[in-house]
Structure formats: C-alpha cells, structure tokens
Amino acid sequence: MSSLAELNSLEADGLASLAGCADEAALRVWSTQHFGDKGLMKAALGAIGKIAKEERAAYGQEANRVKVALETAYAAKFAEAKEAALQASLNSNPLDVTLPGRTRPRGRLHPATQILRQIYGIFADMGFQVYRTREVETDEMNFEHLNMPAHHPARDMWDTFFTTTPGVILRTHTSPGQIHVMREQHPNPIRVILPGMCYRNEAISTRSEIQFHQVEGLAIGEGITMADLKGTITSFARRMFGPERQVRIRSSYFPFTEPSIEVDIDWPKDDPNRDRLTKGTGWLEIMGAGMVHPNVLKAGGYDPDKVTGFAFGMGPQRMLMLKHAIDDIRLFWQNDLRFLRQF
Ligand code: PHE
C-alpha cells in the first residue's frame, strides 16, 4: 500500500462493501476488516514511513481523509441498520401506546358467599363462633351418633351419596359437625355455627339441589331451654328478613332433637309467584331445629343430666330465595352471569 491510487481504491472498495452489509453482524465484520489491528486502514497508515519523502505529506493527508470518510460512512450505515432492526421489531410486535388502558372488570362475591357472611355477622353479634368440619363423613357421624342406628327408618329422610369405601359418605347435613365440636369442647359450654356444603341424592327441582349449603347452630350449657332457641331464631330472622316479615314455628320430628321444630318465613305477599313457590301455603321452611337429644349429648361426651342444648340447621339458599323472590334454587350453581351479576 504505497500509492494514492491504492488509497483511492481502498476507499472505493470499502464504501462498496459497506453498502452491501445487510445487518449489524455484517457491519461488525466489515469494521474489523477495515479498522481492526490487522485491518486495511492500519496497514495503509502504517505505510506512511515507507513513502518517498516528497510524496509523504500528500499520501498522509489522503490516507487520513480516506480513514475519516470510511469511519463516517460506517457510523451512518450502523445507525441505519440499528433503526431498521428497531422498526422490524416494532412491526412484528406492534404496541400502540396511544390506546386507552384496558379497564379491569370488577368481581363480586357469589350470592351464597354474601348470605353466609351475613349469617356469620348476625350470629357473631349473639356470641356464636364459626366452626368448620368435613364434607366427607362417616356413616357413624352422619347418622349413628345422631341417634340413628343402622336401619333406623329416619335415615330415609336423607337420600345419601355413598362412596366406594364402606361407611364413608358425603354428609347429608351439617349435623355431624355437632358431634365433632362437642367431642372437642366437652365439658365446656358451646356456642357455635357450622357452615358448609351438604350433598343429597335427590331429584333436582326448583326447590331442591343435590348440593347446597347449610348452617348448623349448636348451643350447649347449663339451663338452656326451648325459650332460648325460639328467642335466638326469632331475633336472627328479624335481622335477616326485617321486622315486617313473619316467623312461624311448627312442631316437627328429627331423631337428634327432642322436642323438634321447623321454622318458616312468610313469602312476600305481593310476589306473583308466591303460591307456586310455597305450594299454596304462603310459607317457606328455612330450618329444622330442636333441643339436643340426650343420646346425642352423650355421644358428644356430655352428661345430659347436667347440661342441655339446642341445635338448628338452616338453608342459606332457601333464605336467598325468600329475600329476593328467586323462583329456582338451581340458579345458584349454574354460574349464569346474567343471574349472578344482579347481586
Ligand atoms: N339436620 C337437619 C336437616 O338437615 C336439620 C336440623 C339440624 C334439625 C339441627 C334439628 C337440629 O334436615
């Protein structure tokens, strides 16, 4: 590399090959070829010392001009390649920052959760704690300890889902929870509610589902009477349904309470579906209840000569139907948003 002509062809070839570089990687290779330690430009500049004295100044000047020209061209080409790569990535993955943000739909609690929490609140004010027990139960807990030995005809009141394990069933009511909590707490007094899902192998209809919530209540202590049960239930109903709604208490039968009652609430008089939903009576049952049977107290570890107690089992879904004049209990588990969004 010793003549001006060679410098000129270095410039011309350099610019031509630079123009042919398609991307950043090719540009880096080009840069090493021209400006690297063993690169063409270094060699051309290094040759200055070997140039004849009278030509040296002109050669040196020209060499520097070519170096600056190539550097400038390279910088421009490199910036262009970077911009092209950015554009390509923006096009393949477009982001329009002028779009308004997406509003997040606000969730809400399922009506079943809402009413359960309302029930917890009312009973909490009366001193009842929430206690949870299992949904998969033994036959013993669901029936035997509740004063229903094997083959007791009252078992027919609860159409049962059996599992493939003998003696293991899905609980048909929350009442087995009474035994669990008594066995844990005896001989201390008890005031609890036991909410949870129950299962019955029933024909599904507008008033009956195969799964539903119940809220069991249990109070055990000295001197507890039927008056306490009636007072507790009535004040609960007043707060849940309002003072204008009527509460009716009827005598009934359950193997695990003696005496036993059932509690009804009057259906809103102005609702056109009143007759159909109450089978013409004007009332809907919301719970069974009674004084805990001595055999049940014994099964729970208490001495029926020392303590008495009351128990109740209520259906929150029934109460929701009453509160909002809902005509089909199946709506609760169908997950139809048009229904659920109303609550
Ligand atoms: N377990 C009863 C039922 O499911 C309701 C009930 C609970 C009755 C407690 C009396 C006492 O029908």
Side-chain angles (χ1 to χ4, degrees), residues 71-194:
E71 276 172 353
T72 312
Y74 174 76
K77 181 79 181 170
F78 194 81
E80 202 180 285
K82 258 197 130 79
E83 177 67 19
L86 177 64
Q87 282 305 330
S89 125
L90 285 175
N91 290 340
S92 66
N93 187 14
L95 170 74
D96 183 350
V97 290
T98 65
L99 276 177
R102 291 191 191 107
T103 51
R104 222 174 260 266
R106 283 191 62 191
R108 70 191 70 213
L109 295 174
H110 191 281
T113 308
Q114 290 182 29
I115 191 132
L116 281 172
R117 291 190 181 180
Q118 226 173 324
I119 295 170
Y120 304 161
I122 296 171
F123 279 108
D125 288 348
M126 294 194 268
F128 285 76
Q129 284 182 292
V130 176
Y131 191 101
R132 289 174 198 281
T133 58
R134 60 193 66 165
E135 291 176 22
V136 179
E137 268 295 0
T138 58
D139 180 277
E140 226 184 353
M141 286 289 178
N142 197 84
F143 293 116
E144 285 217 34
H145 293 318
L146 293 172
N147 203 27
M148 276 179 280
H151 312 300
H152 193 293
R155 287 183 174 216
D156 286 351
M157 289 162 72
W158 294 273
D159 301 295
T160 308
F161 281 116
F162 297 90
T163 69
T164 46
T165 311
V168 177
I169 62 167
L170 298 187
R171 67 175 173 192
T172 59
H173 51 179
T174 43
S175 298
Q178 290 185 30
I179 305 293
H180 287 291
V181 69
M182 280 193 261
R183 288 189 170 181
E184 212 176 286
Q185 297 297 325
H186 74 92
N188 299 319
I190 293 175
R191 213 188 288 178
V192 293
I193 52 171
L194 304 110

Side-chain angles (χ1 to χ4, degrees), residues 24-300:
E24 280 187 41
L27 282 167
R28 286 187 203 287
V29 172
W30 183 94
S31 169
T32 312
Q33 264 167 14
H34 289 78
F35 300 118
D37 276 349
K38 293 177 183 145
L40 298 170
M41 207 58 236
K42 188 126 187 165
L45 289 169
I48 291 180
K50 292 181 204 134
I51 303 286
K53 225 179 186 166
E54 55 280 13
E55 289 167 22
R56 196 174 289 164
Y59 180 89
Q61 253 175 23
E62 185 62 2
N64 273 313
R65 191 196 60 74
V66 169
K67 177 171 178 264
V68 171
L70 289 178
E71 276 172 353
T72 312
Y74 174 76
K77 181 79 181 170
F78 194 81
E80 202 180 285
K82 258 197 130 79
E83 177 67 19
L86 177 64
Q87 282 305 330
S89 125
L90 285 175
N91 290 340
S92 66
N93 187 14
L95 170 74
D96 183 350
V97 290
T98 65
L99 276 177
R102 291 191 191 107
T103 51
R104 222 174 260 266
R106 283 191 62 191
R108 70 191 70 213
L109 295 174
H110 191 281
T113 308
Q114 290 182 29
I115 191 132
L116 281 172
R117 291 190 181 180
Q118 226 173 324
I119 295 170
Y120 304 161
I122 296 171
F123 279 108
D125 288 348
M126 294 194 268
F128 285 76
Q129 284 182 292
V130 176
Y131 191 101
R132 289 174 198 281
T133 58
R134 60 193 66 165
E135 291 176 22
V136 179
E137 268 295 0
T138 58
D139 180 277
E140 226 184 353
M141 286 289 178
N142 197 84
F143 293 116
E144 285 217 34
H145 293 318
L146 293 172
N147 203 27
M148 276 179 280
H151 312 300
H152 193 293
R155 287 183 174 216
D156 286 351
M157 289 162 72
W158 294 273
D159 301 295
T160 308
F161 281 116
F162 297 90
T163 69
T164 46
T165 311
V168 177
I169 62 167
L170 298 187
R171 67 175 173 192
T172 59
H173 51 179
T174 43
S175 298
Q178 290 185 30
I179 305 293
H180 287 291
V181 69
M182 280 193 261
R183 288 189 170 181
E184 212 176 286
Q185 297 297 325
H186 74 92
N188 299 319
I190 293 175
R191 213 188 288 178
V192 293
I193 52 171
L194 304 110
M197 198 56 96
C198 304
Y199 304 87
R200 284 188 202 171
N201 189 7
E202 282 189 17
I204 297 176
S205 73
T206 53
R207 289 155 52 114
S208 311
E209 256 285 11
I210 57 171
Q211 72 172 84
F212 51 91
H213 283 115
Q214 274 194 347
V215 178
E216 193 85 6
L218 180 68
I220 307 276
E222 281 176 32
I224 293 183
T225 70
M226 191 81 179
D228 297 311
L229 171 60
K230 287 167 80 175
T232 304
I233 287 171
T234 314
S235 50
F236 166 78
R238 291 262 174 278
R239 281 194 56 191
M240 180 55 89
F241 298 103
E244 66 287 349
R245 299 289 282 278
Q246 283 179 283
V247 183
R248 181 172 81 168
I249 293 177
R250 290 178 284 119
S251 68
S252 183
Y253 169 75
F254 297 101
F256 34 90
T257 45
E258 178 60 34
S260 302
I261 58 170
E262 277 175 84
V263 181
D264 304 332
I265 303 287
D266 68 322
W267 196 269
K269 301 234 177 351
D270 50 2
D271 181 40
N273 296 321
R274 185 170 193 252
D275 271 4
R276 178 165 61 84
L277 293 167
T278 63
K279 292 184 178 156
T281 65
W283 300 92
L284 192 71
E285 183 211 326
I286 58 160
M287 72 175 93
M291 300 306 292
V292 181
H293 194 285
N295 288 348
V296 177
L297 286 171
K298 272 189 230 157

